[in-house]
Amino acid sequence: DLNKRLLALDAGNIVVQRSLASSYARLGQSILRSGSLGEALANYQSARTIYEKLAAENPNDKQVQRSLGIIFSYIGYVEMEMGQTLEA
């Protein structure tokens, strides 16, 4: 994947990190539509990991904070659909 290769070359590049997280989120959405909840959740969790790192490093970045909130809502939705109500 291009984003992963770019991130390997320049791990501190916030634009590449956001792009990779966004790619995971979009992939999760596509997979969710196919009904594969576990795989969708895994992609959302990958996006969450990146957004959490970005949010910690850039606490005043409203876009990162917003993206992190959206990912948490996606994760919560999938966990509810999977019957994992305590996690959600």
Coordinates of all heavy atoms in Angstrom, one line a residue:
D1 N 0.8 -1.2 0.0 CA 0.0 0.0 0.0 C 0.9 1.2 0.0 O 1.9 1.3 0.8 CB -0.9 -0.1 1.2 CG -1.7 1.2 1.4 OD1 -2.7 1.4 0.7 OD2 -1.4 1.9 2.4
L2 N 0.6 2.2 -0.8 CA 1.4 3.4 -1.0 C 1.5 4.2 0.3 O 2.6 4.6 0.6 CB 0.8 4.3 -2.1 CG 1.5 5.6 -2.4 CD1 2.9 5.3 -2.8 CD2 0.8 6.4 -3.5
N3 N 0.4 4.4 1.0 CA 0.5 5.2 2.2 C 1.4 4.5 3.2 O 2.2 5.2 3.9 CB -0.9 5.3 2.9 CG -1.8 6.3 2.1 OD1 -1.3 7.3 1.6 ND2 -3.1 6.0 2.1
K4 N 1.4 3.2 3.4 CA 2.3 2.6 4.3 C 3.8 2.7 3.9 O 4.6 2.9 4.7 CB 2.0 1.1 4.4 CG 0.7 0.8 5.1 CD 0.5 -0.7 5.2 CE -0.9 -1.0 5.8 NZ -1.1 -2.5 5.8
R5 N 4.0 2.7 2.6 CA 5.4 2.9 2.1 C 5.9 4.3 2.4 O 7.0 4.5 2.8 CB 5.5 2.5 0.6 CG 5.6 1.0 0.4 CD 5.8 0.6 -1.0 NE 4.5 0.5 -1.6 CZ 4.3 0.6 -2.9 NH1 5.2 0.9 -3.7 NH2 3.1 0.5 -3.4
L6 N 5.0 5.3 2.1 CA 5.3 6.7 2.4 C 5.6 6.9 3.8 O 6.5 7.6 4.2 CB 4.2 7.6 1.8 CG 4.1 7.7 0.3 CD1 2.8 8.5 0.0 CD2 5.3 8.4 -0.3
L7 N 4.7 6.3 4.7 CA 4.9 6.5 6.1 C 6.2 5.9 6.6 O 6.9 6.4 7.4 CB 3.8 5.8 6.9 CG 3.7 6.1 8.4 CD1 3.6 7.6 8.6 CD2 2.5 5.4 8.9
A8 N 6.6 4.8 6.0 CA 7.9 4.1 6.3 C 9.1 5.1 6.0 O 10.1 5.1 6.7 CB 8.1 2.8 5.6
L9 N 8.9 5.8 4.9 CA 10.0 6.8 4.5 C 10.0 8.0 5.3 O 11.1 8.6 5.5 CB 9.8 7.1 3.0 CG 10.0 6.0 2.0 CD1 9.6 6.5 0.6 CD2 11.4 5.6 2.0
D10 N 8.9 8.4 5.8 CA 8.8 9.7 6.6 C 7.7 9.5 7.7 O 6.6 10.0 7.6 CB 8.4 10.9 5.6 CG 8.5 12.2 6.3 OD1 8.9 12.3 7.5 OD2 8.1 13.2 5.6
A11 N 8.1 8.8 8.7 CA 7.2 8.4 9.8 C 6.6 9.6 10.5 O 5.5 9.5 11.1 CB 7.9 7.5 10.8
G12 N 7.2 10.8 10.5 CA 6.7 12.0 11.2 C 5.8 12.8 10.3 O 5.3 13.8 10.8
N13 N 5.5 12.4 9.1 CA 4.7 13.2 8.2 C 3.2 13.1 8.6 O 2.6 12.1 8.3 CB 5.0 12.8 6.8 CG 4.3 13.7 5.8 OD1 3.2 14.2 6.0 ND2 5.0 13.9 4.7
I14 N 2.7 14.2 9.1 CA 1.3 14.1 9.6 C 0.3 14.0 8.4 O -0.7 13.3 8.6 CB 1.0 15.4 10.4 CG1 -0.4 15.2 11.1 CG2 1.0 16.6 9.6 CD1 -0.7 16.3 12.1
V15 N 0.6 14.5 7.3 CA -0.3 14.3 6.1 C -0.4 12.9 5.7 O -1.5 12.4 5.5 CB 0.2 15.2 4.9 CG1 -0.6 14.9 3.7 CG2 0.2 16.7 5.3
V16 N 0.7 12.2 5.7 CA 0.7 10.8 5.3 C 0.0 9.9 6.4 O -0.8 9.0 6.1 CB 2.2 10.2 5.1 CG1 2.2 8.7 4.8 CG2 2.8 11.0 3.9
Q17 N 0.3 10.3 7.7 CA -0.4 9.6 8.7 C -1.9 9.7 8.7 O -2.7 8.8 8.8 CB 0.1 10.1 10.1 CG 1.5 9.7 10.4 CD 2.0 10.2 11.7 OE1 1.3 10.2 12.7 NE2 3.2 10.7 11.7
R18 N -2.4 11.0 8.4 CA -3.8 11.2 8.3 C -4.4 10.4 7.1 O -5.5 9.9 7.1 CB -4.1 12.7 8.0 CG -4.0 13.5 9.3 CD -4.4 14.9 8.9 NE -4.0 15.8 10.0 CZ -4.5 17.0 10.2 NH1 -5.5 17.4 9.5 NH2 -4.1 17.7 11.2
S19 N -3.6 10.4 6.0 CA -4.1 9.7 4.8 C -4.2 8.2 5.0 O -5.2 7.6 4.6 CB -3.1 10.0 3.6 OG -3.5 9.3 2.5
L20 N -3.3 7.7 5.8 CA -3.3 6.2 6.1 C -4.5 5.9 7.0 O -5.3 5.0 6.7 CB -2.0 5.8 6.7 CG -1.9 4.3 7.1 CD1 -2.2 3.4 5.9 CD2 -0.6 4.0 7.7
A21 N -4.7 6.8 8.0 CA -5.8 6.6 8.9 C -7.2 6.7 8.2 O -8.1 5.9 8.3 CB -5.8 7.6 10.1
S22 N -7.3 7.7 7.3 CA -8.5 7.8 6.5 C -8.7 6.7 5.6 O -9.8 6.2 5.4 CB -8.3 9.1 5.7 OG -9.5 9.3 4.9
S23 N -7.6 6.1 5.0 CA -7.7 4.9 4.1 C -8.3 3.7 4.9 O -9.2 3.0 4.5 CB -6.4 4.6 3.5 OG -6.0 5.6 2.7
Y24 N -7.8 3.5 6.2 CA -8.3 2.5 7.0 C -9.8 2.7 7.3 O -10.6 1.7 7.2 CB -7.6 2.4 8.3 CG -6.3 1.6 8.3 CD1 -5.1 2.3 8.7 CD2 -6.2 0.3 7.8 CE1 -3.9 1.6 8.7 CE2 -5.0 -0.4 7.8 CZ -3.8 0.3 8.2 OH -2.6 -0.4 8.2
A25 N -10.2 3.9 7.6 CA -11.6 4.2 7.9 C -12.5 4.0 6.7 O -13.6 3.3 6.8 CB -11.7 5.7 8.3
R26 N -12.1 4.4 5.5 CA -12.9 4.2 4.3 C -12.9 2.7 3.9 O -14.0 2.2 3.5 CB -12.3 5.0 3.1 CG -12.6 6.5 3.2 CD -12.3 7.2 1.9 NE -10.9 6.9 1.4 CZ -9.8 7.6 1.7 NH1 -9.9 8.6 2.5 NH2 -8.7 7.3 1.1
L27 N -11.8 2.0 4.1 CA -11.9 0.5 3.9 C -12.8 -0.1 4.9 O -13.6 -1.0 4.5 CB -10.4 0.0 4.0 CG -10.3 -1.5 3.7 CD1 -10.7 -1.8 2.3 CD2 -8.8 -1.9 3.9
G28 N -12.8 0.3 6.1 CA -13.7 -0.2 7.1 C -15.2 0.0 6.7 O -16.0 -0.9 6.8
Q29 N -15.5 1.1 6.2 CA -16.8 1.4 5.7 C -17.2 0.5 4.6 O -18.4 0.0 4.5 CB -17.0 2.9 5.3 CG -16.9 3.8 6.5 CD -16.8 5.3 6.0 OE1 -16.3 5.6 5.0 NE2 -17.3 6.2 6.9
S30 N -16.3 0.3 3.6 CA -16.6 -0.6 2.5 C -16.9 -2.0 3.0 O -17.8 -2.7 2.5 CB -15.5 -0.5 1.5 OG -15.4 0.8 0.9
I31 N -16.0 -2.5 3.8 CA -16.1 -3.8 4.3 C -17.4 -4.0 5.2 O -18.1 -5.0 5.1 CB -14.9 -4.2 5.2 CG1 -13.7 -4.3 4.2 CG2 -15.1 -5.5 5.9 CD1 -12.3 -4.4 4.9
L32 N -17.7 -3.0 5.9 CA -18.9 -3.0 6.7 C -20.2 -3.2 5.9 O -21.1 -4.0 6.2 CB -19.1 -1.7 7.6 CG -20.3 -1.6 8.5 CD1 -20.2 -2.8 9.5 CD2 -20.3 -0.3 9.2
R33 N -20.2 -2.5 4.7 CA -21.3 -2.7 3.8 C -21.5 -4.1 3.3 O -22.6 -4.6 2.9 CB -21.2 -1.7 2.7 CG -21.6 -0.3 3.0 CD -21.8 0.6 1.8 NE -20.5 1.0 1.3 CZ -19.8 2.0 1.6 NH1 -20.2 2.8 2.6 NH2 -18.6 2.3 1.0
S34 N -20.4 -4.8 3.2 CA -20.4 -6.2 2.8 C -20.8 -7.2 3.9 O -21.0 -8.4 3.7 CB -19.1 -6.7 2.2 OG -18.1 -6.9 3.2
G35 N -20.9 -6.7 5.1 CA -21.4 -7.5 6.3 C -20.3 -8.1 7.1 O -20.6 -8.9 8.0
S36 N -19.0 -7.9 6.8 CA -17.9 -8.5 7.5 C -17.5 -7.6 8.7 O -16.6 -6.8 8.6 CB -16.7 -8.7 6.6 OG -15.7 -9.4 7.2
L37 N -18.3 -7.8 9.8 CA -18.1 -6.9 10.9 C -16.7 -6.9 11.6 O -16.1 -5.9 11.9 CB -19.1 -7.2 12.0 CG -20.6 -7.0 11.6 CD1 -21.5 -7.5 12.7 CD2 -20.9 -5.6 11.2
G38 N -16.2 -8.1 11.7 CA -14.8 -8.3 12.3 C -13.8 -7.6 11.6 O -12.9 -6.9 12.1
E39 N -13.8 -7.7 10.2 CA -12.8 -7.1 9.4 C -13.0 -5.6 9.4 O -12.0 -4.8 9.4 CB -12.9 -7.7 8.0 CG -11.7 -7.3 7.1 CD -11.7 -8.0 5.8 OE1 -12.5 -8.9 5.6 OE2 -10.9 -7.6 4.9
A40 N -14.2 -5.1 9.4 CA -14.5 -3.7 9.4 C -13.9 -3.1 10.7 O -13.3 -2.1 10.7 CB -15.9 -3.4 9.3
L41 N -14.2 -3.8 11.8 CA -13.7 -3.4 13.1 C -12.2 -3.3 13.2 O -11.7 -2.3 13.7 CB -14.2 -4.3 14.2 CG -13.9 -4.0 15.7 CD1 -14.4 -2.6 16.0 CD2 -14.4 -5.0 16.6
A42 N -11.5 -4.3 12.6 CA -10.1 -4.2 12.6 C -9.5 -3.0 11.9 O -8.6 -2.4 12.3 CB -9.5 -5.5 11.9
N43 N -10.1 -2.6 10.8 CA -9.7 -1.5 10.0 C -10.0 -0.2 10.8 O -9.2 0.7 10.9 CB -10.4 -1.4 8.6 CG -9.7 -2.3 7.7 OD1 -8.6 -1.9 7.1 ND2 -10.1 -3.5 7.5
Y44 N -11.2 -0.1 11.5 CA -11.5 1.1 12.3 C -10.5 1.2 13.4 O -10.1 2.3 13.8 CB -12.9 1.0 12.8 CG -14.0 1.2 11.8 CD1 -15.2 0.5 11.9 CD2 -13.8 2.0 10.7 CE1 -16.2 0.7 11.0 CE2 -14.8 2.2 9.8 CZ -16.0 1.5 9.9 OH -17.0 1.7 9.0
Q45 N -10.1 0.0 14.0 CA -9.2 0.1 15.1 C -7.8 0.5 14.7 O -7.1 1.2 15.4 CB -9.1 -1.3 15.8 CG -10.4 -1.6 16.6 CD -10.5 -3.0 17.1 OE1 -9.9 -3.9 16.5 NE2 -11.2 -3.2 18.2
S46 N -7.4 0.1 13.5 CA -6.1 0.6 12.9 C -6.2 2.1 12.7 O -5.2 2.8 13.0 CB -5.8 -0.1 11.6 OG -5.6 -1.4 11.7
A47 N -7.3 2.6 12.2 CA -7.4 4.1 12.1 C -7.4 4.8 13.4 O -6.7 5.8 13.6 CB -8.8 4.4 11.3
R48 N -8.1 4.2 14.4 CA -8.1 4.8 15.8 C -6.7 4.9 16.3 O -6.3 5.9 16.9 CB -9.0 3.9 16.7 CG -9.0 4.5 18.1 CD -9.5 3.6 19.1 NE -8.5 2.5 19.3 CZ -8.8 1.3 19.7 NH1 -10.0 0.9 19.9 NH2 -7.8 0.4 19.8
T49 N -5.9 3.9 16.2 CA -4.5 3.9 16.7 C -3.7 5.1 16.1 O -3.0 5.8 16.9 CB -3.8 2.5 16.3 OG1 -4.5 1.5 17.0 CG2 -2.4 2.6 16.8
I50 N -3.9 5.3 14.8 CA -3.2 6.4 14.2 C -3.7 7.7 14.7 O -3.0 8.6 15.0 CB -3.2 6.3 12.7 CG1 -2.5 5.0 12.2 CG2 -2.7 7.6 12.0 CD1 -2.8 4.7 10.7
Y51 N -5.1 7.9 14.7 CA -5.7 9.1 15.1 C -5.3 9.4 16.6 O -5.2 10.6 17.0 CB -7.2 9.1 14.9 CG -7.6 9.3 13.5 CD1 -8.5 8.5 12.8 CD2 -7.0 10.4 12.7 CE1 -8.9 8.7 11.5 CE2 -7.4 10.6 11.4 CZ -8.3 9.8 10.8 OH -8.7 10.0 9.5
E52 N -5.3 8.4 17.4 CA -4.9 8.6 18.8 C -3.5 9.2 19.0 O -3.3 10.1 19.8 CB -5.1 7.3 19.7 CG -6.5 7.0 20.0 CD -6.6 5.7 20.7 OE1 -5.8 4.8 20.6 OE2 -7.6 5.5 21.5
K53 N -2.6 8.6 18.2 CA -1.2 9.1 18.2 C -1.2 10.6 17.7 O -0.5 11.4 18.3 CB -0.4 8.2 17.3 CG 1.1 8.6 17.2 CD 1.8 7.7 16.3 CE 3.3 8.0 16.1 NZ 3.5 9.2 15.3
L54 N -1.9 10.8 16.6 CA -1.9 12.2 16.1 C -2.5 13.2 17.1 O -2.1 14.3 17.3 CB -2.7 12.3 14.8 CG -2.0 11.6 13.6 CD1 -2.9 11.6 12.4 CD2 -0.7 12.4 13.2
A55 N -3.6 12.7 17.8 CA -4.3 13.6 18.7 C -3.4 13.9 19.9 O -3.4 15.0 20.4 CB -5.6 13.0 19.2
A56 N -2.6 12.9 20.3 CA -1.7 13.1 21.5 C -0.6 14.1 21.1 O -0.2 14.9 21.9 CB -1.1 11.8 21.9
E57 N -0.1 14.0 19.9 CA 1.0 14.8 19.4 C 0.5 16.2 19.0 O 1.3 17.1 18.9 CB 1.7 14.2 18.2 CG 2.4 12.9 18.6 CD 2.9 12.1 17.4 OE1 2.6 12.5 16.2 OE2 3.6 11.1 17.6
N58 N -0.8 16.3 18.6 CA -1.3 17.6 18.1 C -2.7 17.9 18.8 O -3.7 17.9 18.2 CB -1.5 17.5 16.6 CG -0.3 17.1 15.9 OD1 0.6 17.9 15.7 ND2 -0.2 15.8 15.5
P59 N -2.6 18.2 20.1 CA -3.9 18.3 20.9 C -4.8 19.5 20.4 O -6.0 19.5 20.7 CB -3.4 18.5 22.3 CG -2.0 19.0 22.2 CD -1.4 18.4 21.0
N60 N -4.2 20.4 19.7 CA -5.0 21.6 19.3 C -5.6 21.4 17.8 O -6.2 22.3 17.3 CB -4.3 22.9 19.4 CG -3.9 23.2 20.8 OD1 -4.8 23.0 21.7 ND2 -2.7 23.7 21.1
D61 N -5.3 20.3 17.2 CA -5.7 20.0 15.9 C -7.1 19.5 15.9 O -7.4 18.4 16.2 CB -4.8 19.0 15.2 CG -5.0 18.9 13.7 OD1 -6.2 19.0 13.3 OD2 -4.1 18.6 13.0
K62 N -8.1 20.4 15.5 CA -9.5 20.1 15.6 C -9.9 19.0 14.6 O -10.8 18.2 14.9 CB -10.3 21.3 15.4 CG -10.2 22.3 16.5 CD -11.1 23.6 16.2 CE -11.1 24.6 17.3 NZ -10.2 24.6 18.3
Q63 N -9.2 19.0 13.5 CA -9.6 18.0 12.5 C -9.2 16.6 13.0 O -10.0 15.6 12.8 CB -8.8 18.2 11.1 CG -9.2 17.2 10.1 CD -10.6 17.2 9.7 OE1 -11.3 18.3 9.6 NE2 -11.2 16.0 9.4
V64 N -8.1 16.4 13.6 CA -7.7 15.1 14.2 C -8.6 14.7 15.3 O -9.0 13.6 15.3 CB -6.2 15.2 14.7 CG1 -5.9 13.9 15.5 CG2 -5.2 15.4 13.5
Q65 N -9.0 15.7 16.1 CA -9.9 15.4 17.2 C -11.2 14.9 16.7 O -11.8 14.0 17.2 CB -10.1 16.6 18.1 CG -8.8 17.1 18.8 CD -8.2 16.1 19.8 OE1 -8.9 15.3 20.4 NE2 -6.9 16.1 20.0
R66 N -11.7 15.6 15.6 CA -13.0 15.2 15.0 C -12.9 13.8 14.4 O -13.8 13.0 14.6 CB -13.3 16.3 13.9 CG -14.6 16.0 13.2 CD -14.9 17.0 12.1 NE -16.0 16.7 11.3 CZ -16.1 15.9 10.3 NH1 -15.0 15.3 9.9 NH2 -17.2 15.7 9.7
S67 N -11.8 13.6 13.7 CA -11.7 12.3 13.0 C -11.6 11.2 14.1 O -12.2 10.1 13.9 CB -10.4 12.3 12.2 OG -10.5 13.2 11.1
L68 N -10.9 11.4 15.2 CA -10.9 10.4 16.3 C -12.3 10.2 16.8 O -12.6 9.0 17.1 CB -9.9 10.9 17.4 CG -9.7 10.0 18.5 CD1 -9.2 8.6 18.1 CD2 -8.8 10.6 19.6
G69 N -13.1 11.2 17.0 CA -14.4 11.0 17.5 C -15.3 10.2 16.6 O -16.1 9.3 17.0
I70 N -15.1 10.5 15.3 CA -15.9 9.7 14.3 C -15.5 8.3 14.3 O -16.4 7.4 14.2 CB -15.7 10.4 12.9 CG1 -16.4 11.7 12.8 CG2 -16.2 9.4 11.8 CD1 -16.0 12.5 11.6
I71 N -14.2 8.0 14.4 CA -13.8 6.6 14.4 C -14.3 5.9 15.7 O -14.7 4.7 15.6 CB -12.2 6.5 14.4 CG1 -11.7 6.8 13.0 CG2 -11.7 5.2 14.8 CD1 -12.2 5.8 11.9
F72 N -14.3 6.6 16.8 CA -14.9 5.9 18.0 C -16.4 5.6 17.8 O -16.8 4.6 18.2 CB -14.7 6.8 19.2 CG -13.4 6.7 19.9 CD1 -12.5 7.7 20.1 CD2 -13.0 5.4 20.4 CE1 -11.3 7.6 20.7 CE2 -11.8 5.3 21.1 CZ -11.0 6.4 21.2
S73 N -17.1 6.5 17.1 CA -18.5 6.2 16.8 C -18.7 5.0 15.9 O -19.5 4.2 16.1 CB -19.3 7.4 16.3 OG -18.9 7.7 15.0
Y74 N -17.8 4.9 14.9 CA -17.8 3.7 14.0 C -17.5 2.4 14.7 O -18.2 1.4 14.6 CB -16.8 3.9 12.8 CG -17.1 4.9 11.8 CD1 -16.1 5.3 11.0 CD2 -18.3 5.5 11.7 CE1 -16.3 6.3 10.0 CE2 -18.6 6.5 10.7 CZ -17.6 6.9 9.9 OH -17.8 7.8 8.9
I75 N -16.5 2.5 15.6 CA -16.2 1.3 16.4 C -17.3 0.9 17.3 O -17.7 -0.3 17.4 CB -14.9 1.6 17.2 CG1 -13.7 1.6 16.2 CG2 -14.7 0.5 18.3 CD1 -12.4 2.1 16.9
G76 N -17.9 1.9 17.9 CA -19.0 1.6 18.8 C -20.2 1.0 18.1 O -20.8 0.0 18.6
Y77 N -20.5 1.5 16.9 CA -21.6 1.0 16.1 C -21.3 -0.5 15.7 O -22.2 -1.4 15.9 CB -21.8 1.8 14.8 CG -22.7 1.1 13.8 CD1 -24.1 1.3 14.0 CD2 -22.3 0.4 12.8 CE1 -25.0 0.7 13.2 CE2 -23.2 -0.2 11.9 CZ -24.5 -0.1 12.1 OH -25.4 -0.7 11.3
V78 N -20.1 -0.8 15.3 CA -19.8 -2.2 14.9 C -19.8 -3.1 16.1 O -20.4 -4.2 16.1 CB -18.4 -2.3 14.2 CG1 -18.0 -3.7 14.0 CG2 -18.4 -1.5 12.9
E79 N -19.3 -2.6 17.2 CA -19.3 -3.5 18.4 C -20.8 -3.7 18.9 O -21.1 -4.8 19.3 CB -18.5 -2.8 19.6 CG -17.0 -2.9 19.3 CD -16.2 -2.1 20.3 OE1 -16.7 -1.2 21.0 OE2 -15.0 -2.4 20.4
M80 N -21.6 -2.7 18.8 CA -23.1 -3.0 19.1 C -23.7 -4.0 18.1 O -24.4 -4.9 18.6 CB -23.8 -1.7 19.0 CG -23.5 -0.7 20.0 SD -24.1 -1.1 21.7 CE -25.8 -0.9 21.5
E81 N -23.3 -3.9 16.9 CA -23.8 -4.9 15.9 C -23.3 -6.3 16.2 O -24.0 -7.3 15.8 CB -23.5 -4.4 14.5 CG -24.2 -3.2 13.9 CD -25.7 -3.5 13.8 OE1 -26.1 -4.5 13.1 OE2 -26.5 -2.7 14.3
M82 N -22.1 -6.4 16.7 CA -21.5 -7.7 17.0 C -22.0 -8.2 18.4 O -21.6 -9.3 18.8 CB -20.0 -7.6 17.0 CG -19.4 -7.2 15.7 SD -17.6 -7.0 15.7 CE -17.0 -8.6 15.9
G83 N -22.9 -7.4 19.1 CA -23.3 -7.8 20.4 C -22.4 -7.5 21.5 O -22.5 -8.0 22.6
Q84 N -21.4 -6.8 21.3 CA -20.3 -6.4 22.3 C -20.7 -5.1 23.0 O -20.0 -4.1 22.9 CB -19.0 -6.3 21.6 CG -18.5 -7.6 21.0 CD -17.2 -7.4 20.2 OE1 -16.7 -6.3 20.1 NE2 -16.6 -8.5 19.7
T85 N -21.8 -5.2 23.7 CA -22.4 -3.9 24.2 C -21.5 -3.3 25.3 O -21.5 -2.1 25.5 CB -23.8 -4.2 24.8 OG1 -23.8 -5.3 25.7 CG2 -24.8 -4.5 23.6
L86 N -20.8 -4.2 26.1 CA -19.9 -3.6 27.1 C -18.7 -2.8 26.5 O -18.3 -1.8 27.0 CB -19.4 -4.7 28.0 CG -20.4 -5.4 28.9 CD1 -19.8 -6.5 29.7 CD2 -21.1 -4.4 29.8
E87 N -18.2 -3.3 25.4 CA -17.1 -2.6 24.7 C -17.6 -1.3 24.1 O -16.9 -0.4 24.1 CB -16.4 -3.5 23.7 CG -15.7 -4.7 24.2 CD -16.6 -5.9 24.5 OE1 -17.8 -5.8 24.4 OE2 -16.0 -7.0 24.8
A88 N -18.8 -1.4 23.5 CA -19.3 -0.2 22.8 C -19.6 0.9 23.7 O -19.4 2.0 23.5 CB -20.5 -0.6 22.0

